[in-house]
Amino acid sequence: MTRTPSSGDSGSSSDKKEENASSRQGVTLRRPRFRQWRGLLGTVAAVGLVGVTGASLLVWHQYEGIVADLPTVEGLRTYQPPVMSRLYASDDKVIAELADERRVFVPYSAIPDRVKNAFIAAEDQKFWTHKGVDPVAIIRAGLTDLTRGKGRRPIGASTITQQVARVMLLGSNAVSMKRKAKEAFLAMRIEQVLPKEKILEIYLNEIYMGSGAYGIAAAAQTYFNKPLDQLDDAEAAFLGALPKSPTNYNPIRFPDAARGRRNWVLERMAETGAITHEAARSAEAEPLIPHAFVRPGPAPGSEWFAEEVRRELLERYGQDTTLQGGLEVHTSLDPALQLTAQTTLRQGLMAYDRAHGGWRGPIKHLAEVTSSSSQEDWVAALQAVPVPLGMLDQWRLAVVLDPSRGRVGWLEGGIMRRGAATQGGTPQTAQVLERDLAWTRRFRLLRAGDVVMIEPQAQGERVALMQVPHVEGAVVTLNVHTGRVMALVGGWSFQTSQFDRATQALRQPGSSFKPFVYLQAMEQGISPSQAFDDSPVSYGAWHPNNYEKDFWGPTSLHDALRESRNLVTIRLAAHIGIKNVADLATRIGLVDSMPHVLPAALGAVETTVLKEAGAYATLAAGGRKVTPTLIDDVQDRQGKVIWRPEGLSLVSVAAQTAAEQQAAGHESEPDAIFPDGKPDAAQPQPPAPAPVTTPAPSASVQNSADLPGVDDQPAVKDDRPRVASEQSTFQITTMLQDVIRRGTGVQAGKGIDRPVAGKTGTSQNFNDAWFAGYSPDLVTVVWIGFDSPQSLGKNETGGAIAGPIWNKIMKTAFEGYPKLDFPVPEGVTLVRYDTGRGVAIDAFKPDQIPGVSVSLADNGASQELTAADTGAENMPDSESDMAAGGGQPGAGGTAAGNSATPAPGTPRPAQEPSGGDIGMGGLY
């Protein structure tokens, strides 16, 4: 039965429902606490995941960017550091060093342990254990940098391997995280590729050590003037202290800081066990005294020679190989002879300058110095005067203290440094020589306070007054047999001007060119006793003349060459053909090119002292072309010979004999033109063309089959081309001997008691003075003149100025050489005969009659030369007609109308074809 609730019951039930409903509407239900943490952690994880992913992508992107730019480390396997090249004299002493960076490479095995330990203790104590980077050191450096504050350079934590990576591969020292990261990656790669020993070798040879020294070997020389194996612990520790800051630890500028850093390295070496603590304390007590190192080169007097070698190397190998390739260059320089040549040339230039230039006054005047000035005053004033260019090392700067007595004061014992702010030394006083005082009085009186150059005399109480001459000169001495240049002087002072007048100055050789005109005549079969007419001749407006202004009539070639007769030389050149003369002069190396005009036969061409020395050496060598060389051989850093001069090589006697027999077999074959094997001897033959030769291979690639074996006898193979026959060159040598005995070169031969031959040369208006001469072993050529061509003075000929200088040089050069006669070749006969101007000795070929002048009239010389043929219509007088100056316009007339009638047997000039290449502006 259903029970109906009472009113009280029903009200109670509705109230509960309403209460429940109201409670659901007014109160929020709480979730469990673990659900809240799960949501929070999920959010953090999601954000973290996104952040890590982004950071990873960013790091990977940066890594890819860094790694993509990293250089390869494979090149370090064959590491060859830039090493300076060295030049050696013939005695194997260093005369110069060529380098961008002064570095001496030392292999790991040759580096002393104490030096290795010093650098490892100072730079990377965990070098032998880490893999390229040191994480502990990086963390330590980072914490230190955080505590030091801003504005200061961060402390480095680079290992030795990282430093190698930075120096060798990155080439940057920029402070950035990216650069440090690159270092780290490269260091780890290097450690995987190279052993530790190789890494340390690269580091110790590559690092900059201050004062221009790269690597430990150069640093040991620079600071202590010692090789590495002679360094003690203290010195090795000092080198280990330098990489941190070579400038701040310079022992001369900052001795205390350098000593402190050295001692710190010694303490680190003791901590690592490299040395004992007692040894460290003993080394710390040593004073730090650097010993000055003077970098070799150029050796005194060798500046011109070394500079010419440097130019040759740059031309052959380029700048990088020359200055960084570690070349060992052995040269032909004779240091003693070089100094003699330089000193003798300077003495000759000073003698000329004193005789012609006069006293030009002081180099400066110090107004604060008077006759009453104290020693302290004039010393202070003199110390501030810079050393002038061109001043010799044995000279001193002096100030005039008492002009009436010629008393001067100077500083003795100090090092005269050009460009230095002050000069040092002990004060000295002395009187100027009386002859020098008289010299100054003729031009300009001395005043108190005048700064002059002096040279203290041996007696100590007198000084000589000096001045730098304005005239210049050049000297070359070389070996006849090989062409090796033994001495080369290019001027008064290399510091004043680096222009080399021996190799770069193109000057007119004057009459020193004439022997090559006569050589061409000998090649054409003309005899030394052949007579040519010495009489006036004109070509258009050109009227050549003899120096003496006289005429000898029919004159033998011997006498004409001995006395340098211009008119005979011109007629001879016209007869044999100036083109043939030009061809010979070019083949022999005297000139690069030559105009086909008769004035060129008198030296109206341009050449250098070095080229003329080579040409005269060819005469002395019997017609084999001698090319002057300054370099004997060039070796690379491994000691392999990579270059030698061509022409002469070492072979076995057996190989040379076989080659000669083979050549003789070819020569014995019948000739289609001359079946009897030789042309008509009576018919003069044109000069043989220069043989075409294939350049000999370098000695480094020479066929090993040609080299002499252990049991073979060696021989010298001469592949140099022959430009003239032995017989013809010997005829010229015989005539040139008489030039020195009783011709224009008498002054050059004074006091020389051995066979010598030579020729004087003087260009137009006395602008150039030459003497070129030789013995069976040596050739020396001397040139004197001004840089801007001007007259040396009337009658200042090559025999008068250059001859005495040649004489002194050759007397010194002959020391150590035996007295030898010029070798007489087969096929010539020496005959003494009367030339009409004295008794002479000449060499004659088999088809020549000694002392006889034959008729050459039928030798195609039936027509006169005209001005159009010679190209000399605008030429002044000949090179030795100095007094009259230039040519005489209007004096005109053809050769036929102005020439004297030739004597019987005298040739008439042959007709030369005119052409566009004929013409010359004139002598100067």
Side-chain angles (χ1 to χ4, degrees):
M1 169 175 196
T2 304
R3 179 180 180 269
T4 303
S6 62
S7 57
D9 292 339
S10 58
S12 307
S13 175
S14 60
D15 290 341
K16 288 181 180 180
K17 291 180 180 179
E18 291 176 0
E19 181 179 355
N20 291 337
S22 62
S23 66
R24 285 195 301 268
Q25 295 176 358
V27 179
T28 302
L29 297 178
R30 295 183 179 180
R31 295 180 179 180
R33 189 175 297 273
F34 74 91
R35 291 184 179 179
Q36 296 180 7
W37 282 105
R38 184 174 59 185
L40 179 62
L41 289 176
T43 303
V44 172
V47 173
L49 180 61
V50 173
V52 170
T53 302
S56 299
L57 292 175
L58 179 62
V59 170
W60 180 257
H61 177 74
Q62 291 293 329
Y63 171 78
E64 287 291 327
I66 293 174
V67 172
D69 294 338
L70 289 181
T72 177
V73 300
E74 293 299 323
L76 294 179
R77 293 180 183 271
T78 57
Y79 163 72
Q80 289 186 336
V83 179
M84 62 186 173
S85 298
R86 284 177 168 174
L87 311 184
Y88 298 88
S90 59
D91 58 0
D92 284 336
K93 293 183 178 179
V94 178
I95 60 173
E97 293 178 343
L98 308 177
D100 286 332
E101 299 177 353
R102 187 174 183 277
R103 176 184 287 105
V104 180
F105 177 75
V106 185
Y108 178 84
S109 59
I111 301 174
D113 289 339
R114 60 162 50 96
V115 176
K116 302 173 189 174
N117 294 333
F119 281 85
I120 291 175
E123 295 294 318
D124 188 0
Q125 296 184 13
K126 297 181 180 179
F127 171 75
W128 297 109
T129 58
H130 64 63
K131 300 299 182 180
V133 295
D134 187 354
V136 176
I138 295 174
I139 295 173
R140 182 175 60 249
L143 294 176
T144 304
D145 291 336
L146 291 176
T147 60
R148 297 176 69 200
K150 298 182 180 180
R152 304 184 67 176
R153 184 182 180 88
I155 293 178
S158 297
T159 63
I160 286 178
T161 311
Q162 286 179 267
Q163 295 183 54
V164 170
R166 180 177 70 250
V167 173
M168 297 298 299
L169 301 177
L170 295 179
S172 172
N173 200 32
V175 180
S176 67
M177 293 300 297
K178 185 176 181 179
R179 194 265 295 172
K180 297 296 291 185
K182 287 184 176 182
E183 274 186 22
F185 289 130
L186 282 174
M188 289 184 285
R189 287 188 179 182
I190 291 173
E191 291 278 352
Q192 296 172 0
V193 172
L194 300 179
K196 290 284 188 178
E197 291 79 5
K198 186 64 176 179
I199 296 172
L200 188 59
E201 177 188 274
I202 295 174
Y203 174 75
L204 295 179
N205 280 284
E206 191 69 26
I207 191 166
Y208 180 62
M209 305 290 284
S211 299
Y214 289 80
I216 53 176
Q221 285 184 344
T222 300
Y223 293 106
F224 302 110
N225 200 17
K226 289 182 180 181
L228 283 175
D229 57 0
Q230 295 183 13
L231 297 179
D232 58 22
D233 289 335
E235 292 165 340
F238 170 73
L239 295 185
L242 288 173
K244 181 176 178 62
S245 180
T247 301
N248 294 330
Y249 296 126
N250 185 291
I252 297 176
R253 298 178 58 191
F254 308 106
D256 294 337
R259 186 167 51 253
R261 178 70 179 176
R262 180 204 65 177
N263 294 344
W264 179 86
V265 174
L266 287 169
E267 293 173 2
R268 301 288 82 73
M269 292 175 68
E271 291 177 1
T272 59
I275 59 175
T276 64
H277 289 279
E278 291 76 10
R281 286 192 294 269
S282 176
E284 290 176 11
E286 292 183 15
L288 179 57
I289 304 176
H291 299 277
F293 170 74
V294 179
R295 179 176 176 177
S302 69
E303 294 91 344
W304 303 106
F305 193 101
E307 176 61 18
E308 183 62 24
V309 171
R310 187 187 71 88
R311 279 195 289 262
E312 287 190 22
L313 294 174
L314 288 173
E315 182 178 355
R316 184 174 291 120
Y317 300 111
Q319 182 170 347
D320 290 343
T321 302
T322 298
L323 301 182
Q324 302 178 10
L327 302 178
E328 299 286 306
V329 184
H330 295 86
T331 73
S332 56
L333 177 69
D334 184 330
L337 184 59
Q338 176 73 20
L339 284 176
T340 297
Q342 183 183 69
T343 302
T344 304
L345 176 64
R346 284 173 170 174
Q347 290 173 348
L349 297 179
M350 287 188 291
Y352 171 87
D353 183 72
R354 183 170 289 246
H356 295 79
W359 169 245
R360 291 187 289 273
I363 62 175
K364 188 175 183 178
H365 181 76
L366 301 176
E368 62 271 26
V369 177
T370 64
S371 299
S372 59
S373 296
S374 64
Q375 177 174 295
E376 291 76 12
D377 292 338
W378 68 258
V379 166
L382 186 60
Q383 285 178 332
V385 179
V387 176
L389 293 175
M391 178 174 163
L392 303 185
D393 293 338
Q394 64 268 30
W395 294 0
R396 302 290 182 267
L397 279 180
V399 59
V400 177
L401 303 177
D402 187 349
S404 61
R405 298 171 52 196
R407 189 169 67 91
V408 298
W410 75 97
L411 301 175
E412 185 64 47
I415 300 177
M416 305 297 288
R417 300 185 185 276
R418 291 174 175 83
T422 60
Q423 305 295 334
T426 304
Q428 301 283 342
T429 61
Q431 287 186 323
V432 177
L433 293 172
E434 289 296 334
R435 61 178 175 82
D436 291 347
L437 286 177
W439 178 44
T440 62
R441 294 189 187 105
R442 292 198 301 269
F443 299 94
R444 178 176 175 179
L445 294 175
L446 293 176
R447 296 183 299 161
D450 282 349
V451 177
V452 297
M453 291 178 286
I454 63 165
E455 183 176 12
Q457 301 300 290
Q459 58 268 33
E461 299 179 355
R462 294 281 183 171
V463 297
L465 197 62
M466 314 303 292
Q467 69 178 5
V468 176
H470 288 172
V471 68
E472 285 288 355
V475 174
V476 169
T477 298
L478 58 82
N479 184 284
V480 164
H481 310 290
T482 61
R484 298 175 68 244
V485 177
M486 304 168 64
L488 185 149
V489 184
W492 167 263
S493 170
F494 186 79
Q495 285 73 29
T496 303
S497 170
Q498 285 76 53
F499 180 70
D500 192 340
R501 295 154 190 86
T503 62
Q504 295 176 304
L506 291 172
R507 305 297 293 229
Q508 293 191 357
S511 292
S512 64
F513 182 85
K514 290 178 182 177
F516 304 97
V517 179
Y518 286 69
L519 176 61
Q520 181 60 37
M522 300 298 106
E523 285 286 270
Q524 294 189 14
I526 299 177
S527 165
S529 61
Q530 180 66 46
F532 281 74
D533 195 26
D534 183 8
S535 61
V537 63
S538 294
Y539 299 104
W542 183 48
H543 313 284
N545 207 336
N546 292 318
Y547 174 72
E548 298 81 1
K549 297 296 184 64
D550 60 357
F551 310 101
W552 287 1
T555 303
S556 69
L557 294 184
H558 180 105
D559 290 334
L561 183 57
R562 184 190 71 233
E563 300 298 337
S564 198
R565 306 296 290 183
N566 295 327
L567 298 179
V568 171
T569 302
I570 292 171
R571 284 192 166 93
L572 176 64
H575 173 77
I576 63 179
I578 193 65
K579 183 179 184 301
N580 292 328
V581 176
D583 291 343
L584 175 64
T586 303
R587 292 200 315 271
I588 210 168
L590 181 58
V591 295
D592 295 328
S593 62
M594 174 177 162
H596 298 166
V597 294
L598 287 181
L602 301 178
V605 294
E606 290 184 333
T607 187
T608 67
V609 178
L610 185 64
K611 288 180 179 178
E612 182 153 308
Y616 272 80
T618 300
L619 294 177
R624 289 280 189 183
K625 184 178 180 180
V626 177
T627 302
T629 59
L630 286 75
I631 302 175
D632 289 341
D633 64 65
V634 179
Q635 300 177 12
D636 61 16
R637 66 175 70 207
Q638 280 79 35
K640 179 182 178 182
V641 176
I642 59 176
W643 185 86
R644 274 201 183 105
E646 298 176 349
L648 296 174
S649 57
L650 189 65
V651 299
S652 66
V653 172
Q656 188 178 40
T657 303
E660 291 174 353
Q661 291 175 350
Q662 184 179 4
H666 289 299
E667 291 177 359
S668 62
E669 296 177 359
D671 191 283
I673 300 177
F674 301 106
D676 58 353
K678 62 179 181 178
D680 185 5
Q683 179 68 26
Q685 298 299 315
V692 179
T693 60
T694 302
S698 173
S700 60
V701 295
Q702 185 177 349
N703 189 349
S704 59
D706 294 336
L707 294 175
V710 176
D711 299 325
D712 292 334
Q713 183 177 355
V716 176
K717 182 181 179 182
D718 192 346
D719 292 324
R720 297 174 298 181
R722 181 172 292 282
V723 295
S725 68
E726 289 183 273
Q727 294 76 17
S728 296
T729 54
F730 183 72
Q731 287 179 308
I732 296 298
T733 295
T734 305
M735 289 191 280
L736 292 181
Q737 286 183 267
D738 213 23
V739 171
I740 292 182
R741 277 195 297 263
R742 58 194 183 101
T744 58
V746 169
Q747 293 190 55
K750 287 183 177 180
I752 295 179
D753 58 351
R754 62 178 69 204
V756 289
K759 185 67 183 74
T760 57
T762 311
S763 69
Q764 182 69 26
N765 296 327
F766 300 98
N767 287 348
D768 304 272
W770 296 74
F771 192 88
Y774 55 93
S775 73
D777 293 314
L778 300 173
V779 170
T780 295
V781 177
V782 179
W783 167 83
I784 305 295
F786 291 95
D787 284 341
S788 297
Q790 65 185 72
S791 177
L792 291 166
K794 187 176 181 181
N795 299 326
E796 293 295 350
T797 63
I801 301 178
I805 298 174
W806 183 92
N807 177 278
K808 294 179 180 179
I809 294 174
M810 289 297 278
K811 284 179 179 178
T812 301
F814 285 146
E815 296 177 1
Y817 283 87
K819 294 182 181 180
L820 299 175
D821 290 323
F822 290 100
V824 182
E826 295 182 2
V828 299
T829 304
L830 287 172
V831 177
R832 185 188 301 270
Y833 69 104
D834 189 350
T835 65
R837 291 188 172 272
V839 177
I841 299 176
D842 270 320
F844 294 90
K845 297 176 182 178
D847 56 343
Q848 296 173 344
I849 303 175
V852 174
S853 177
V854 300
S855 174
L856 302 177
D858 295 332
N859 192 23
S862 59
Q863 298 184 12
E864 295 285 354
L865 284 171
T866 66
D869 297 311
T870 63
E873 62 272 16
N874 297 319
M875 296 296 298
D877 284 358
S878 69
E879 57 88 16
S880 59
D881 185 16
M882 309 303 181
Q888 302 172 11
T894 66
N898 289 278
S899 301
T901 302
T906 303
R908 299 170 66 86
Q911 178 72 26
E912 283 289 321
S914 60
D917 61 342
I918 294 180
M920 185 170 181
L923 297 170
Y924 59 90

